[in-house]
Amino acid sequence: RGGMASGAGGLTQLLWRTRNVVCVGRNYVAHAAELKNQVPTEPFWFLKPVSSLVRPGERQRIEIPEGCGEVHHEAELAVVIGSTASRVSREDADSVIAGYATAVDATGRDLQQASKKAGLPWSRAKGYDTWCPISEVVDKAAVPNPADLTVCLSVNGEERQRGSTSLMVFDIPTLIEAITDVVTLGPGDLILTGTPAGVGKMEPGDKVRCWIEGLDVPALELDVESRPSLMSRRASGKNRL
């Protein structure tokens, strides 16, 4: 395995080395239930493009393209990988973790449901630019029990999500074993570990705040904005932006 980045500043710098953003689906029973999905019997995951990241120091926002339908917030604990990880067992999983961060997995719910109905991939529903804001990285040494954190999100001051990481269907070592059995992860790669119940719609003009109780890092403070869409304009006959 490669060398591990060290120091708080160095850990956040890992986010500029990210190659893979792996997102775990349906990892909280209550969230699976609210979307009327079955709870998986083994870890279920998909990828978001690296271009969806909004890193610390960048303009903090989530952009909603016109014509995109409902876009939902999903607050998540992110695991930040610190060294090369291939076929890592549960027992060795902690050795490849650099730290943890707060993340939002923005999701085009209408697009996702249409894709699922048609048997198509979800890439568009998860992949727009700015649809994965992430906080600074907290060293794993400062998080003695990542299974005892509370993931929270509010919109316009109204709390919508609050859930303990103890409620994960599959814990972090299990996720690392399952994912690295398929994909070799490297320094800066991310595993978003699933979202608790309470996901809901965001609209332009909303103020989204996302934080994790137990992570000593500033909350994400996000402006929800609208932006033009070439595909939407073309579909409606408005070719000029």
Side-chain angles (χ1 to χ4, degrees):
R1 297 188 178 106
M4 184 85 72
S6 62
L11 292 183
T12 295
Q13 287 300 312
L14 283 171
L15 300 178
W16 277 263
R17 297 175 62 184
T18 304
R19 299 176 309 153
N20 293 291
V21 181
V22 183
C23 301
V24 178
R26 307 174 191 172
N27 202 28
Y28 289 79
V29 171
H31 171 60
E34 71 181 346
L35 296 183
K36 297 180 173 58
N37 290 321
Q38 295 292 320
V39 176
T41 57
E42 60 183 25
F44 160 70
W45 47 274
F46 55 91
L47 301 174
K48 285 176 85 83
V50 174
S51 55
S52 67
L53 289 173
V54 178
R55 300 173 177 88
E58 298 177 345
R59 189 163 64 84
Q60 299 293 292
R61 83 279 188 200
I62 294 173
E63 296 177 352
I64 298 181
E66 61 186 4
C68 203
E70 284 201 9
V71 177
H72 285 195
H73 54 77
E74 297 187 5
E76 311 211 10
L77 171 67
V79 177
V80 183
I81 299 299
S83 59
T84 302
S86 177
R87 294 185 295 280
V88 179
S89 70
R90 289 174 46 87
E91 293 76 17
D92 292 334
D94 187 67
S95 69
V96 301
I97 298 173
Y100 301 93
T102 305
V104 176
D105 171 19
T107 302
R109 193 67 69 200
D110 292 347
L111 295 173
Q112 184 186 43
Q113 297 297 347
S115 295
K116 287 166 64 176
K117 186 175 181 179
L120 297 173
W122 301 355
S123 299
R124 184 181 172 198
K126 293 284 189 176
Y128 281 98
D129 291 351
T130 76
W131 279 21
C132 191
I134 189 163
S135 74
E136 297 172 12
V137 179
V138 179
D139 193 307
K140 70 177 181 183
V143 188
N145 186 5
D148 188 27
L149 304 173
T150 304
V151 180
C152 308
L153 182 142
S154 65
V155 178
N156 302 326
E158 175 191 0
E159 189 169 282
R160 292 189 180 176
Q161 291 190 265
R162 172 174 289 271
S164 172
T165 55
S166 67
L167 299 175
M168 287 183 188
V169 177
F170 303 105
D171 63 13
I172 289 168
T174 299
L175 297 177
I176 289 175
E177 180 176 280
I179 292 164
T180 65
D181 196 43
V182 179
V183 179
T184 297
L185 301 179
D189 284 353
L190 305 172
I191 300 175
L192 274 60
T193 56
T195 191
V199 302
K201 185 178 180 180
M202 301 179 290
E203 298 183 288
D206 283 346
K207 302 287 187 182
V208 173
R209 186 172 190 267
C210 184
W211 70 101
I212 296 179
E213 294 177 356
L215 282 192
D216 186 14
V217 67
L220 291 171
E221 305 275 359
L222 305 164
D223 294 320
V224 181
E225 304 174 354
S226 61
R227 74 158 175 85
S229 165
L230 287 168
M231 291 180 65
S232 178
R233 292 285 177 99
R234 193 172 299 281
S236 65
K238 300 175 182 177
N239 292 332
R240 294 185 61 190
L241 295 179

